[in-house]
Amino acid sequence: MKQLFIAVSVFALASCCSNQQSADQWTDAEIDQKIEEILPQLSLDEKVALCHAQSKFSTPGVARLGIPELWYSDGPHGVRMEINWDDWGHSHWTNDTATAFPVLTSLAASFNPDLAFEYGNAVAEEALYRGKDVMLGPGVNIYRSPLNGRNFEYMGEDPYLASVMAVPYIKGMQQNGVAACVKHFALNNQETWRTTVDVQVSDRALREIYLPAFEAAVREANVWSVMGSYNLYNGQHCCHNAKLNSILRNEWGFDGCVITDWGGATDTKESAENGLDIEMGTWTNGLTSSTANAYDSYYLAKPYLEAIKKGEIDSKTLDAKVRNILRLMFRTNMAKNIKHGRKGNAEHIQTALNIAREGIVLLKNDNEVLPLDAKTTKKIAVIGENATRSMMGGGSSELKTFHEVSPLEGIKSHFPNAQIVHSMGYASGPEIYGHVLPSRLNADSLQKAALEAVKDVDLVIFVGGLTKAHEQDCEGGDRRSLDLPFGQNELVEKILDVNKNMIFVLVDGNAVTMPWLDKVPAVVEAWYGGCEAGNAIADVLCGDVNPSGKLPYSFPVKLEDNAAHSFASEEVYPGLAAVDAANNHKETYKEDILVGYRWHDTKNIKPLFAFGYGLSYTTFEIQKADVKVASGKVNVKATIANTGKRDGAEVLQVYVGKPDSKVARAVKELKGFKKISIAAGASAEVSVDVPVEKLAFWNEESQKWEVEKGKYVVYVGTSSDNIAHTLEININ
Ligand code: GLC
């Protein structure tokens, strides 16, 4: 009996202390104890060295004590190729390939948190194999403008969706002892002037729209690191912003490391005192202007050391940083049980394919032209540069992948008996050092060849969209237009004059206009699907997979229908061209909390396609829905029937609004969703719980969350613009 008692008490001790750590790792208490043992052994120089880069993607350890270096890698979609020690160049190793997973927009479109967990787990296994301790993702910045060059790296316009999809990604990653680094904290919603735009935004919009995904990452996923963003918020750089740091540390209880975006630190004292732990990528050029090590001129390097020695900055700020950094190490490269990972294995590739498949959104399917019948689809013309173009670029989320199945290859493998021709139709032109030059190919001859190719075929599959080049879906610049580039729209119209049987497959990571929409029978949004993109697209086109994706953001009919652009004011986007005294561009988010469908619903502006929208090859009906409030939760129970002829999956979406609220509110906000697979002809009951506290708004006077009493409206549907049941509840 005694043995049993001891066993139980030890187990109880271990399990009660380990907050969300797997049993085989150090507990927080053990980590804190080890930190206190190490701290007194470190010299001042060694402590300061830990707080800044020693190379482009690593920070030093303490060699004499056997404390290892920390290695960081991009990005959210897989482990980036090796970058040089001192510059952004590729090192051109031969062993730095990786599985390329679909972009996070595609993951968000799956509305499947289980896939997010698998995603994070797979990327972490590849990171371990490549010797990386910190993966620089997921990116969760809210989709505010359709022009933002990095929307493809993020998870849409709704803070609840981004939260629910980011948390499992982080948990799946960190269970392997690899740190996620949720980014970019905060308000980095564009690429234009990203290092000097100074965002002004109301507390409500900050708390209700732009911070929730970061808050969920900290409070629900216990994220081990956060990346400060380049921009300013209320006049102070986000990498060392007193207000954001206070929210992060004091309100949310974050115990990890704040890491700059690469070059995000701009001031020693602010970095020391506003919670920055690790400075990366600062743009010093000490390597050429002096023989001294450029890293010594970092804000948290010699200047910091000197300021502490002179007593200008309290050395306690340094010990706080070192504690956070050592904690990050005991969770990663000094974990109790180091894992070794794997890469390029069948499971990872299957995960990439599964996500790409479930992320695909069927936007239009007149007369069920899709799925294609291989028996009657004999001659296919595949038109478009995106049918063959590699999509592994885009800035820091670039990847060197083992393989990349193009849409054309996927279509060929899925229609082996069809006669398939490909014609580019248009060309995007080469990209030289971040500038896309006009194509050397002759546009007329490309168009003529395409019009020839579509003449006597059964079907035209137009694979168009955007590219990962500058001022497209790419870091470092925003798009200049909502339209498809390179003359695609004109080419589509000309093709339709020759052959009306067209399916448009969009390969992109952003909303686009579709002036030809009424004439094109079917449209599929395929995003950037990673190494198995072509197979996922072909699986859907041939019907092996019934599409179940939903749009993670609204597609406006025209740019001015988008909230940020509706003001037609440079102060609202992209910020005032004239810089202020501090040489920054002031930008004011005047749309406030009305972002995305919140704007469309509340201003009655019909989008081209709505948030949460996506068709299926079958049909679903929400036959009934009930709601009740009990034990602090709003519970919605609905019965969904698959009224079509194919098995499929639907996403039940629960939105809540408060028409008589004492504060301005959007008509409705997403507060719950559940994806469910239902066999043809069957029905299923779905239950969605919404904690009452999630109905709160941020009270700017009390600076607290407040749940208003009284009536709320609960909208139950399968898209933000397809509500099947409207129910009422009372919160007292
Ligand atoms: C880049 C990006 C950030 C990336 C970092 C390292 O500028 O903004 O997302 O992780 O620098 O490449």
Side-chain angles (χ1 to χ4, degrees):
M1 189 56 181
K2 192 164 178 302
Q3 243 76 12
L4 180 62
F5 173 74
I6 290 172
V8 166
S9 60
V10 166
F11 176 73
L13 181 70
S15 58
C16 80
C17 305
S18 65
N19 77 333
Q20 292 178 357
Q21 279 134 344
S22 34
D24 63 349
Q25 297 301 4
W26 303 122
T27 64
D28 286 349
E30 288 170 324
I31 289 176
D32 288 344
Q33 182 192 337
K34 290 171 183 299
I35 288 171
E36 296 316 312
E37 285 164 11
I38 291 173
L39 207 57
Q41 301 178 51
L42 299 177
S43 70
L44 198 52
D45 288 57
E46 286 167 336
K47 289 180 184 177
V48 168
L50 290 174
C51 301
H52 64 269
Q54 67 173 4
S55 77
K56 258 295 175 226
F57 281 92
S58 72
T59 51
V62 185
R64 70 180 179 84
L65 295 177
I67 294 175
E69 301 168 339
L70 272 173
W71 280 89
Y72 311 73
S73 170
D74 290 309
H77 310 141
V79 187
R80 189 178 185 182
M81 66 284 273
E82 292 301 321
I83 303 295
N84 291 337
W85 187 266
D86 277 334
D87 64 52
W88 286 108
H90 294 161
S91 309
H92 300 296
W93 290 9
T94 53
N95 64 344
D96 57 351
T97 46
T99 301
F101 295 88
V103 295
L104 290 193
T105 292
S106 170
L107 173 64
S110 75
F111 275 69
N112 184 341
D114 296 341
L115 284 181
F117 185 90
E118 286 180 43
Y119 196 137
N121 179 62
V123 171
E125 290 189 339
E126 303 229 344
L128 287 166
Y129 193 83
R130 291 272 305 281
K132 309 300 179 185
D133 309 303
V134 181
M135 284 305 292
L136 303 171
V140 296
N141 292 107
I142 289 298
Y143 186 107
R144 173 177 184 252
S145 161
L147 302 185
N148 176 22
R150 292 183 83 174
N151 281 327
F152 71 94
E153 280 189 60
Y154 307 145
M155 297 204 250
E157 71 188 21
D158 182 85
Y160 178 77
L161 174 64
S163 306
V164 169
M165 299 304 285
V167 164
Y169 175 107
I170 293 165
K171 286 182 173 175
M173 178 169 281
Q174 297 188 161
Q175 67 161 3
N176 290 282
V178 175
C181 184
V182 66
K183 69 187 186 181
H184 306 83
F185 187 66
L187 298 162
N188 179 189
N189 303 100
Q190 66 193 51
E191 291 298 290
T192 304
W193 297 322
R194 65 174 175 165
T195 62
T196 54
V197 71
D198 180 2
V199 175
Q200 322 295 316
V201 66
S202 74
D203 282 345
R204 278 200 66 197
L206 178 73
R207 297 282 187 156
E208 296 180 27
I209 303 295
Y210 298 102
L211 290 189
F214 292 100
E215 181 171 6
V218 172
R219 287 188 139 152
E220 296 171 39
N222 186 30
V223 73
W224 293 342
S225 67
V226 171
M227 184 186 291
S229 60
Y230 283 127
N231 55 285
L232 296 89
Y233 162 52
N234 280 356
Q236 194 169 50
H237 275 276
C238 291
C239 284
H240 34 76
N241 185 293
K243 178 173 175 181
L244 291 179
N245 183 56
S246 172
I247 292 171
L248 182 66
R249 301 274 185 195
N250 304 334
E251 287 186 42
W252 299 348
F254 178 60
D255 70 353
C257 279
V258 174
I259 303 169
T260 62
D261 196 339
W262 266 235
T266 62
D267 181 276
T268 291
K269 192 160 173 51
E270 285 190 12
S271 297
E273 295 170 356
N274 293 345
L276 177 62
D277 296 304
I278 297 175
E279 176 187 359
M280 301 302 287
T282 298
W283 297 313
T284 63
N285 192 14
L287 284 185
T288 48
S289 56
S290 77
T291 51
N293 177 333
Y295 302 99
D296 286 344
S297 57
Y298 272 40
Y299 295 97
L300 286 182
K302 270 217 166 67
Y304 187 31
L305 185 61
E306 297 311 316
I308 289 175
K309 285 178 175 171
K310 286 183 216 151
E312 289 161 3
I313 293 179
D314 189 331
S315 66
K316 283 203 195 70
T317 61
L318 177 57
D319 286 345
K321 296 178 199 313
V322 172
R323 286 193 171 91
N324 290 336
I325 293 164
L326 290 172
R327 186 171 303 113
L328 178 60
M329 291 172 162
F330 280 113
R331 289 169 164 169
T332 56
N333 63 4
M334 290 203 287
K336 190 171 168 184
N337 290 295
I338 300 275
K339 300 182 181 193
H340 299 285
R342 50 187 180 157
K343 73 171 187 169
N345 50 296
E347 295 83 354
H348 291 178
I349 292 163
Q350 187 62 50
T351 295
L353 177 57
N354 292 345
I355 296 161
R357 282 169 167 168
E358 281 209 34
I360 289 176
V361 182
L362 180 59
L363 295 176
K364 185 181 181 190
N365 190 20
D366 286 355
N367 317 316
E368 297 188 331
V369 291
L370 287 175
L372 301 173
D373 178 348
K375 290 192 287 301
T376 57
T377 314
K378 290 290 175 220
K379 295 175 75 175
I380 302 174
V382 178
I383 307 295
E385 186 191 68
N386 281 8
T388 56
R389 182 187 174 112
S390 172
M391 295 295 183
M392 292 296 147
S396 59
S397 61
E398 63 177 355
L399 292 166
K400 183 197 285 184
T401 188
F402 303 98
H403 70 272
E404 182 182 6
V405 179
S406 73
L408 180 61
E409 286 164 337
I411 292 164
K412 282 182 174 173
S413 68
H414 285 63
F415 295 90
N417 305 321
Q419 186 187 328
I420 297 173
V421 293
H422 171 246
S423 183
M424 262 176 69
Y426 67 89
S428 60
E431 182 180 14
I432 313 284
Y433 301 119
H435 292 281
V436 180
L437 307 178
S439 168
R440 286 185 296 276
L441 301 171
N442 179 294
D444 290 343
S445 56
L446 286 173
Q447 224 179 64
K448 203 172 291 166
L451 293 175
E452 199 54 41
V454 301
K455 266 211 178 91
D456 58 356
V457 297
D458 306 313
L459 177 72
V460 177
I461 301 178
F462 193 101
V463 186
L466 304 173
T467 71
K468 300 294 228 36
H470 185 62
E471 293 183 342
Q472 292 278 308
D473 284 324
C474 180
E475 177 178 341
D478 286 347
R479 280 194 297 164
R480 296 172 184 271
S481 156
L482 194 54
D483 296 338
L484 285 171
F486 320 124
Q488 290 176 70
N489 290 336
E490 179 204 352
L491 175 61
V492 166
E493 299 287 354
K494 287 185 176 174
I495 290 174
L496 290 168
D497 290 341
V498 176
N499 190 328
K500 296 201 177 326
N501 297 327
M502 178 189 285
I503 290 161
F504 198 119
V505 178
L506 283 162
V507 173
D508 58 20
N510 228 327
V512 294
T513 55
M514 302 178 208
W516 32 261
L517 184 60
D518 294 344
K519 301 178 202 161
V520 174
V523 180
V524 173
E525 173 59 79
W527 315 115
Y528 298 115
C531 61
E532 289 289 316
N535 284 333
I537 290 169
D539 286 341
V540 166
L541 294 182
C542 77
D544 287 355
V545 167
N546 185 356
S548 62
K550 300 285 184 178
L551 290 181
Y553 47 75
S554 319
F555 278 48
V557 171
K558 55 188 187 304
L559 188 58
E560 306 70 57
D561 289 355
N562 164 276
H565 295 270
S566 65
F567 292 84
S569 146
E570 64 179 19
E571 183 181 353
V572 180
Y573 173 89
L576 293 172
V579 293
D580 58 23
N583 203 28
N584 296 316
H585 299 274
K586 184 179 173 212
E587 182 176 37
T588 308
Y589 287 8
K590 285 187 180 166
E591 76 281 4
D592 202 73
I593 58 171
L594 298 181
V595 174
Y597 67 88
R598 290 168 165 83
W599 176 262
H600 287 283
D601 288 351
T602 310
K603 300 292 183 183
N604 260 319
I605 299 171
K606 189 169 171 15
L608 185 66
F609 293 106
F611 172 85
Y613 170 87
L615 299 175
S616 170
Y617 290 152
T618 186
T619 49
F620 294 95
E621 184 190 336
I622 304 178
Q623 291 172 327
K624 71 182 181 68
D626 302 304
V627 65
K628 67 178 180 7
V629 183
S631 53
K633 284 187 181 126
V634 178
N635 172 263
V636 173
K637 276 194 175 44
T639 304
I640 307 182
N642 177 339
T643 50
K645 299 186 290 295
R646 282 173 174 268
D647 299 353
E650 183 52 287
V651 178
L652 183 92
Q653 299 163 41
V654 174
Y655 297 81
V656 181
K658 187 167 183 32
D660 61 351
S661 173
K662 65 184 179 184
V663 294
R665 286 191 192 228
V667 167
K668 61 180 187 291
E669 300 178 301
L670 184 70
K671 295 294 180 185
F673 67 83
K674 193 155 282 180
K675 184 169 205 176
I676 181 161
S677 296
I678 307 175
S683 64
E685 178 165 298
V686 184
S687 173
V688 173
D689 279 336
V690 178
V692 168
E693 69 261 15
K694 292 296 182 186
L695 305 182
F697 74 96
W698 180 260
N699 184 318
E700 295 187 330
E701 282 65 50
S702 66
Q703 284 293 303
K704 285 194 175 65
W705 290 104
E706 180 183 328
V707 177
E708 259 185 297
K709 295 188 178 4
K711 186 183 86 169
Y712 288 78
V713 179
V714 177
Y715 305 83
V716 182
T718 56
S719 166
S720 64
D721 69 346
N722 182 13
I723 299 301
H725 299 270
T726 304
L727 311 160
E728 283 190 10
I729 55 170
N730 257 300
I731 301 290
N732 303 310

